[in-house]
Amino acid sequence: IILVKMKKLGFGITATALSFGLLASPTFAETPLNMNEKPQQLEIRVASTETTVSKSELIQKFKEIFPNKYDFLTDDDFYMTSGHYFPDDGIVRYDLGFHKRLSGNRYVGGSIVFAGENLEIERLYLDPIDVKDAMFPAKVSKEEAENIAKKFIEQFTASKNYKLTDDGTDYYYYGMNQPLTEPVQYSFSFVRMENGIKIPDQTISITVLGNGDITNLYRTSYVKATFDDAKIRISDEEILNQIKENLSVELQYQVDWDYNTGDRKVSLVYAPTIKQGVNALTGQWLVGDSFQEKAPEIKKVEMLSKEKLPPRQQGITVEEAKAFAEELLKIDSDKVRLTIESIDETTDLYGNEMLYVNYSYHYERGGYGASIAFDKKTGEFVHFHNVKSEVLKEIGEAPKNKKEITKEQALQKAIEYLKEYMPSKLHQYSKPVQEATEDYWYYDGYIFFFPRVVNGIPVNGDQLQVMVTETGELRSIYSDGFENSNWPQISKAISEEEAKNKVLDSLSVELNYVKLSEEPHYNLVYTPIYNGNNLSYLDAISGEWQTPYYVQAPETGDEEQKVSHPTAEAELNYFIENGYLEIADIENFNPDAPITTGEAIQGLVKSLSYYYGDYYYMEDSDNVSQTFDNIGPDHPLYSIVEQAVSMGILVPGNSFNPNATITREELAAWYIRALGLDEAAKHSEIYKINVEDAGDVDEKYIGYVTLANTFGLIEVEDGKFNPKRTVTYAEFVTSAVRLAHKSQEMNVNHY
């Protein structure tokens, strides 16, 4: 066999991830790993002499799964990699991909991973061939798409038990909207069940377009394992009482990141001490990756340093950063070549000057690349991930017979690394207040989180993170601190007793099967759920439960108030539900009233492009542009207007009146500019409008109105265009949908 570096796609869910991520509120859990520097799984590739599956077999399998759909592809359009597997499961996989030009600049492509003896699809990504029927209004409803998804996964779940959950990927919005020019997508998530109980690390996610096409699928490997006997578990009531008798709460600061604006907000919260769960058979407490007899307790804050230490050095130059990186990264092997690819000087969102040293290791069959981030002012690490061990493993020179250290020794090593690489920060951070997480399966070592301390209490969401190998080497070090001057006053918090009662009143438990080690066995664990939602937290000042920004989604559902209209009801509700239009008072909303230019430009920008809010325009805050005198950075429509200018919809001028109404000829001009035909439309002398009231069209709009009428974007009424009449909400949304379809047809996009 040949060892090569490949990244295992999807989520590698370990016991640590389960206990600190899926099964516990992120509010009360540790900050996740730096995803940009996440360790990679070692993939073992099967030599060609051992491969028994041919490309033609995989192509045939693929076309059987999608009968008649991809018959236009020839064998030459496909490519295949040899078989490979991951050490943790040994299942042989084969990658099949294809790419073909359809016409003009239209291409179709896809990639499929077949796994196991039966060549079942494990991962799937397919470019849609034709999305006309998938765009809003979609041909297929969500209920119909759900049935399509269920039928599709039956091919590898027929003898297994998977259940649809509400944990679909569309739950996370991160402040982004889906443009109307893209097909409607329905995302579904299925979780494996055993004895009627969830196995959270055994999942299938699938995406179905609005025309019924399946474009994405990912499923975790089906693990053959033993399971705790659910028949002999302790009752829910007994476990609930056990948790209630041992639960306490503590004050923490909680950092909440608004991905829509890039802002971070700090709340004062009460966090429960019991987060991970209880063994359903023994009643032992799950702490980290093991069970213990003693209930989790609040650990005393113990600062890493009682006084501010001097920085690692007084500033660092590009030359010094390069020299330091070369010394730190040098590797004891003549089979590997270290290359410093580049050094970038930049400023982060908080104004800190940074140096990024980008490096790579090259060897005969591949390579690894990563970066070291330095604080330019102090010469200290901001983040660093050590990939030496991965490189040495792959060339067969991994160090052997090194003595493994204990958790306590690993903690001491982590502190030593912090003192060496981040000394000036240590007076602000505490030793871990929660158990270290061991994960020999995925990370080969220990992960420690050192929380920041403000006003004597820990800050959840601002911590130093250190990963130490089982032999004491530094695997990674990471800091994500930020300056904040508005820490809520502890004196304003409700009492600890009141908070504890609120937490207890909200408490419920959920049964899950959790795998705690490499051994193929799942333990039955009762997980505490607070407020019926494992993502909510108790605000210590208001005494109310809150939900983090990053999981807040537009509220939808049958209970939501809907708009009624004889011709534009579906479009109006879609625009409102997706945030294209913001209507404060739905009950008194009149769809036939004139829409303002501010509302229309917002609806147009959000329906035609990805809209990131103010975050897009704050990246270079020292050089922000301002097109109109009256629409500056402090105006609520500033980012919308500037994005509309960049899209060519609005023409720069002295001012833009967001409170004015918009006429049909003005809207026609916006639409034609959105299609990129502004220059063509300016030549009014070459156009003749085929409407009865052509003479009423302003000369400068003749070309725009002609094209809008020809494309059918704005409907003619009894042979008349009525260019001076104001546009209503209902007219705007229906015409904007037609514009989106025309944009897709012409392959015009703004993202």
Side-chain angles (χ1 to χ4, degrees), residues 418-641:
L418 287 172
K419 288 180 178 178
E420 181 177 1
Y421 297 120
M422 295 182 179
S424 68
K425 295 182 173 69
L426 302 192
H427 66 292
Q428 296 180 309
Y429 292 85
S430 166
K431 291 182 179 180
V433 295
Q434 294 188 359
E435 291 292 326
T437 60
E438 297 177 61
D439 205 338
Y440 292 97
W441 179 20
Y442 201 75
Y443 302 112
D444 299 323
Y446 301 87
I447 310 170
F448 297 99
F449 300 90
F450 301 84
R452 184 175 179 180
V453 176
V454 175
N455 297 327
I457 63 174
V459 181
N460 192 358
D462 181 351
Q463 50 255 314
L464 307 178
Q465 175 186 296
V466 183
M467 295 170 60
V468 178
T469 70
E470 74 275 16
T471 58
E473 296 176 280
L474 177 64
R475 175 62 65 86
S476 75
I477 191 167
Y478 178 70
S479 168
D480 189 29
F482 74 108
E483 295 304 318
N484 178 60
S485 59
N486 186 25
W487 298 96
Q489 297 180 30
I490 295 176
S491 60
K492 294 184 178 181
I494 62 175
S495 69
E496 183 177 317
E497 181 181 2
E498 183 181 353
K500 181 178 178 179
N501 288 334
K502 285 179 176 288
V503 171
L504 290 175
D505 289 343
S506 75
L507 176 63
S508 61
V509 291
E510 179 182 80
L511 268 176
N512 291 281
Y513 275 118
V514 179
K515 190 168 179 282
L516 297 177
S517 68
E518 291 183 85
E519 298 301 318
H521 178 77
Y522 282 88
N523 296 95
L524 192 57
V525 175
Y526 277 109
T527 304
I529 303 295
Y530 301 99
N531 192 42
N533 177 356
N534 64 354
L535 298 172
S536 61
Y537 60 87
L538 183 67
D539 188 288
I541 295 179
S542 69
E544 301 295 329
W545 290 94
Q546 304 291 338
T547 303
Y549 279 129
Y550 65 89
V551 293
Q552 289 180 7
E555 293 189 4
T556 58
D558 295 336
E559 299 80 12
E560 186 178 351
Q561 194 170 7
K562 301 284 186 179
V563 172
S564 297
H565 193 270
T567 60
E569 182 171 313
E571 291 85 350
L572 283 164
N573 285 303
Y574 191 83
F575 269 61
I576 293 170
E577 290 170 3
N578 285 276
Y580 303 159
L581 287 180
E582 298 176 4
I583 307 299
D585 187 0
I586 295 293
E587 186 175 352
N588 296 310
F589 171 61
N590 179 11
D592 294 317
I595 189 172
T596 66
T597 56
E599 292 171 312
I601 200 63
Q602 176 173 280
L604 201 54
V605 166
K606 289 186 175 183
S607 64
L608 291 179
S609 67
Y610 287 114
Y611 175 67
Y612 299 91
D614 295 334
Y615 184 76
Y616 180 80
Y617 290 97
M618 65 179 279
E619 288 186 347
D620 191 8
S621 56
D622 294 332
N623 297 293
V624 293
S625 61
Q626 181 175 335
T627 304
F628 300 102
D629 294 341
N630 64 321
I631 309 292
D634 58 343
H635 194 284
L637 283 177
Y638 169 74
S639 58
I640 285 285
V641 167

Side-chain angles (χ1 to χ4, degrees), residues 584-739:
D585 187 0
I586 295 293
E587 186 175 352
N588 296 310
F589 171 61
N590 179 11
D592 294 317
I595 189 172
T596 66
T597 56
E599 292 171 312
I601 200 63
Q602 176 173 280
L604 201 54
V605 166
K606 289 186 175 183
S607 64
L608 291 179
S609 67
Y610 287 114
Y611 175 67
Y612 299 91
D614 295 334
Y615 184 76
Y616 180 80
Y617 290 97
M618 65 179 279
E619 288 186 347
D620 191 8
S621 56
D622 294 332
N623 297 293
V624 293
S625 61
Q626 181 175 335
T627 304
F628 300 102
D629 294 341
N630 64 321
I631 309 292
D634 58 343
H635 194 284
L637 283 177
Y638 169 74
S639 58
I640 285 285
V641 167
E642 293 301 329
Q643 193 159 330
V645 172
S646 68
M647 294 166 67
I649 299 173
L650 292 183
V651 177
N654 294 327
S655 64
F656 173 79
N657 185 0
N659 299 315
T661 55
I662 184 169
T663 65
R664 286 162 60 88
E665 63 182 4
E666 290 171 333
L667 186 64
W670 282 10
Y671 284 0
I672 298 307
R673 291 186 193 127
L675 292 175
L677 299 174
D678 185 42
E679 288 300 319
K682 287 179 180 178
H683 300 282
S684 59
E685 69 279 2
I686 68 173
Y687 294 99
K688 181 179 180 180
I689 310 174
N690 188 25
V691 292
E692 294 179 13
D693 55 350
D696 295 338
V697 179
D698 191 301
E699 183 178 353
K700 65 181 179 181
Y701 291 124
I702 289 176
Y704 301 100
V705 171
T706 303
L707 291 174
N709 180 42
T710 302
F711 292 150
L713 301 179
I714 300 176
E715 291 185 329
V716 173
E717 302 163 333
D718 297 325
K720 296 182 179 180
F721 190 82
N722 296 314
K724 308 298 184 187
R725 189 167 61 74
T726 55
V727 179
T728 67
Y729 289 95
E731 290 173 323
F732 169 71
V733 295
T734 53
S735 61
V737 169
R738 289 192 288 271
L739 173 65

Side-chain angles (χ1 to χ4, degrees), residues 77-135:
D77 296 322
F78 289 89
Y79 52 90
M80 171 193 172
T81 64
S82 61
H84 53 85
Y85 62 90
F86 298 104
D88 58 354
D89 62 19
I91 298 173
V92 178
R93 297 167 173 83
Y94 300 90
D95 297 344
L96 180 71
F98 66 90
H99 187 264
K100 188 178 183 69
R101 180 177 178 177
L102 296 180
S103 62
N105 60 350
R106 291 185 62 230
Y107 294 84
V108 64
S111 59
I112 313 97
V113 176
F114 295 94
E117 295 180 1
N118 297 325
L119 297 178
E120 297 173 348
I121 292 180
E122 185 176 76
R123 296 195 300 274
L124 173 73
Y125 171 76
L126 300 172
D127 286 333
I129 299 173
D130 184 0
V131 298
K132 182 178 180 181
D133 290 335
M135 295 177 65

Side-chain angles (χ1 to χ4, degrees), residues 296-307:
E297 296 177 339
I298 297 175
K299 283 190 176 182
K300 184 180 178 181
V301 167
E302 185 179 354
M303 304 303 291
L304 290 170
S305 177
K306 293 182 180 179
E307 56 187 24

Side-chain angles (χ1 to χ4, degrees), residues 104-213:
N105 60 350
R106 291 185 62 230
Y107 294 84
V108 64
S111 59
I112 313 97
V113 176
F114 295 94
E117 295 180 1
N118 297 325
L119 297 178
E120 297 173 348
I121 292 180
E122 185 176 76
R123 296 195 300 274
L124 173 73
Y125 171 76
L126 300 172
D127 286 333
I129 299 173
D130 184 0
V131 298
K132 182 178 180 181
D133 290 335
M135 295 177 65
F136 175 83
K139 179 181 178 181
V140 170
S141 68
K142 186 171 185 177
E143 292 72 23
E144 291 170 324
E146 180 182 318
N147 291 328
I148 291 171
K150 287 178 177 177
K151 184 176 180 181
F152 187 81
I153 68 171
E154 281 179 1
Q155 61 182 299
F156 39 79
T157 61
S159 60
K160 307 173 182 71
N161 187 11
Y162 280 80
K163 179 182 178 182
L164 181 68
T165 72
D166 58 359
D167 300 327
T169 54
D170 54 353
Y171 183 76
Y172 299 91
Y173 284 78
Y174 296 104
M176 288 172 53
N177 59 294
Q178 178 178 317
L180 267 175
T181 50
E182 287 198 348
V184 173
Q185 299 183 59
Y186 304 109
S187 297
F188 304 99
S189 180
F190 298 84
V191 63
R192 180 181 165 191
M193 310 292 289
E194 185 73 24
N195 301 319
I197 299 164
K198 286 183 182 180
I199 311 173
D201 67 343
Q202 296 277 283
T203 60
I204 300 171
S205 59
I206 185 170
T207 300
V208 182
L209 297 188
N211 61 359
D213 286 351

